[in-house]
Amino acid sequence: MSRKLSGLRAWYVQRLSAAYISFYVLIAVISMLFNGTPTTYKSWATVWSSPLVSTMTLLFFTALLIHAWIGIRDVILDYVHPFGARLVVLSLFAVMLITSGLWVARVLFNAIN
């Protein structure tokens, strides 16, 4: 048996990431219901300047990107059969997800400073 992220391991990782995504969204909605939604840049920057909020948000986006990668990877493996095409499509999605993750990290770290 391989140690790659496939089969049951991928299923577990996707379920754990879905659980964290759901938890984060629930906490965010409850927080906005009780504290109000920030309406200005300054109020949003204040929210994101908290180390707890920025860490939880960074974990949220990490879970979201991992969840998306596993889902799109499985769809591509199921429906794109030629090896070359599969490699190109997987590479494009990997670059897109990594770029998105780096962009999110940059936005969050700029909000902290």
Side-chain angles (χ1 to χ4, degrees):
M1 177 131 301
S2 168
R3 289 204 176 269
K4 293 179 186 175
L5 189 62
S6 62
L8 190 58
R9 281 194 184 155
W11 185 84
Y12 279 131
V13 170
Q14 196 163 37
R15 294 315 172 263
L16 285 172
S17 65
Y20 184 78
I21 291 166
S22 301
F23 169 76
Y24 181 89
V25 169
L26 179 67
I27 296 299
V29 168
I30 289 171
S31 175
M32 285 185 197
L33 285 174
F34 288 109
N35 299 328
T37 304
T39 55
T40 65
Y41 174 79
K42 191 170 188 169
S43 58
W44 275 109
T46 303
V47 170
W48 299 120
S49 67
S50 164
L52 179 63
V53 173
S54 58
T55 302
M56 298 283 287
T57 304
L58 190 59
L59 288 173
F60 166 77
F61 281 105
T62 301
L64 185 67
L65 293 171
I66 290 170
H67 189 87
W69 171 252
I70 293 171
I72 199 68
R73 184 202 64 180
D74 289 348
V75 169
I76 290 168
L77 291 177
D78 286 345
Y79 293 105
V80 180
H81 298 291
F83 179 77
R86 182 185 298 174
L87 184 63
V88 167
V89 174
L90 283 172
S91 297
L92 289 173
F93 274 104
V95 167
M96 181 192 71
L97 291 174
I98 290 169
T99 304
S100 298
L102 292 172
W103 178 74
V104 166
R106 179 176 176 242
V107 168
L108 286 176
F109 288 125
N110 282 340
I112 292 172
N113 294 328

